[in-house]
């Protein structure tokens, strides 16, 4: 399925820093970046805008099949347009994360997004970040990383990120949201958040983000993936 195109998956819970690490790694290697969380967020916004019941998997999946999404730039986290409307800022809001987490429990919705995610696997290589990149979407990935950290530390980081982006954030509220998302992401029947059997697990609770990036990069080098990229 994946041929010989080099790729690395980075999975983990909400707020663990995988987005930052994935972007850093993709830039360093000159590879494409798939921010699969952004896809689920766009799907959630599309379903809400269409006015369908978020509890109705088939209706949500139908919206996902119909939606016209444009990711501008080389990564899914740059400008994002839905049906011709720029929704970049809305995609990053916590509300979009909650919507995404609600619709991501449905196999119909996950299937509807599968081909679009796999289409990112192109030369010279791909860094894919999400919840099930190593376990479901790219099961043959030559290198799978799983980042973890305590919920408290992730809430602290997420708060800092939101405030830096000029959005209001209250630590207790962010922690409650993170716990709710963890429960939903880990507890769902289809593609639950968990480390793939062959993933390298890194606990980042005590690690600053640049140390996390360097650690991932050394795994990339050890795996031989940089032979074509450096
Ligand atoms: O990574 P994120 O916070 O942008 O993801 C938003 C939600 O989307 C997350 O709570 C669960 C869902 N998601 C998923 O189910 N599978 C993925 N590969 C990525 C995200």
């Amino acid at each position: 399925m994946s041929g010989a195109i080099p790729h690395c998956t980075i999975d983990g819970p909400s707020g663990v820093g995988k987005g930052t690490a994935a972007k850093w790694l993709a830039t360093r290697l000159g590879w494409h970046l798939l921010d699969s969380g952004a896809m689920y967020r766009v799907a959630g916004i599309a379903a809400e805008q269409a006015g369908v019941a978020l509890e109705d998997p088939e209706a949500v999946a139908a919206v996902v099949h119909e939606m016209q999404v444009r990711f501008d730039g080389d990564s899914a986290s740059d400008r994002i347009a839905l049906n011709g409307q720029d929704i970049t800022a809305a995609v990053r809001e916590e509300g979009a994360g909650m919507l995404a987490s609600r619709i991501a429990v449905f196999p119909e919705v996950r299937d509807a997004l599968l081909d679009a995610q796999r289409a990112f696997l192109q030369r010279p290589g791909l860094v894919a970040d999400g919840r099930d990149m190593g376990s479901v979407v790219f099961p043959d990935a030559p290198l799978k990383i799983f980042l973890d950290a305590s919920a408290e530390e992730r809430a602290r980081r997420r708060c800092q990120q939101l405030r830096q982006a000029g959005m209001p954030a209250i630590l207790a509220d962010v922690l409650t949201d993170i716990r709710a998302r963890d429960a939903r992401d880990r507890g769902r029947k289809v593609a639950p958040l968990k480390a793939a059997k062959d993933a390298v697990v890194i606990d980042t609770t005590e690690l600053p983000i640049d140390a996390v990036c360097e650690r991932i990069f050394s795994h990339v080098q050890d795996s031989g993936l940089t032979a074509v990229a450096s």
Side-chain angles (χ1 to χ4, degrees):
M1 173 192 67
S2 35
I5 302 174
H7 55 304
C8 165
T9 58
I10 304 182
D11 289 304
S14 199
V16 78
K18 59 190 184 306
T20 307
K23 196 162 193 165
W24 179 90
L25 185 64
T27 305
R28 173 108 193 226
L29 296 170
W31 289 3
H32 301 284
L33 173 66
L34 165 60
D35 172 0
S36 62
M39 285 202 175
Y40 280 93
R41 286 165 180 258
V42 172
I45 292 172
E48 191 178 53
Q49 282 187 357
V52 298
L54 296 179
E55 304 72 36
D56 180 343
E58 273 158 28
V60 176
V63 171
V64 172
H65 278 297
E66 291 288 307
M67 69 183 187
Q68 302 288 323
V69 185
R70 250 199 28 230
F71 293 110
D72 276 333
D74 196 31
S75 78
S77 43
D78 289 330
R79 307 302 307 171
I80 303 174
L82 169 64
N83 301 326
Q85 181 200 356
D86 189 321
I87 56 160
T88 312
V91 166
R92 287 292 133 222
E93 284 170 13
E94 290 300 280
M98 281 310 261
L99 280 176
S101 169
R102 285 176 64 187
I103 61 150
V105 299
F106 301 127
E108 294 87 342
V109 173
R110 305 197 71 83
D111 281 354
L113 288 171
L114 206 51
D115 287 347
Q117 294 176 85
R118 288 185 174 153
F120 275 77
L121 184 54
Q122 289 183 20
R123 295 194 183 282
L126 174 69
V127 179
D129 99 66
R131 304 293 189 290
D132 61 342
M133 296 295 99
S135 54
V136 175
V137 181
F138 300 108
D140 302 330
L143 177 63
K144 301 175 184 178
I145 303 284
F146 189 91
L147 299 181
D148 214 345
S150 70
E152 290 76 11
E153 175 59 18
R154 289 183 285 124
R156 199 190 58 73
R157 291 178 193 167
R158 181 53 65 95
C159 250
Q160 210 174 25
Q161 227 175 28
L162 288 169
R163 287 178 189 147
Q164 273 165 2
M167 291 183 232
I170 298 165
L171 186 60
D173 293 349
V174 174
L175 181 57
T176 304
D177 280 359
I178 281 201
R179 287 200 169 123
R181 289 222 339 240
D182 276 3
R184 207 176 278 134
D185 293 348
R186 291 185 205 266
R188 70 180 171 227
K189 288 202 183 77
V190 186
L193 168 68
K194 65 167 194 271
K197 282 198 190 74
D198 47 350
V200 177
V201 179
I202 303 174
D203 188 326
T204 76
T205 308
E206 308 279 338
L207 280 181
I209 189 68
D210 47 348
V212 174
C213 292
E214 290 301 338
R215 198 173 286 193
I216 295 174
F217 189 65
S218 72
H219 283 290
V220 171
Q221 285 179 309
D222 290 349
S223 69
L225 281 174
T226 43
V228 281
S230 57

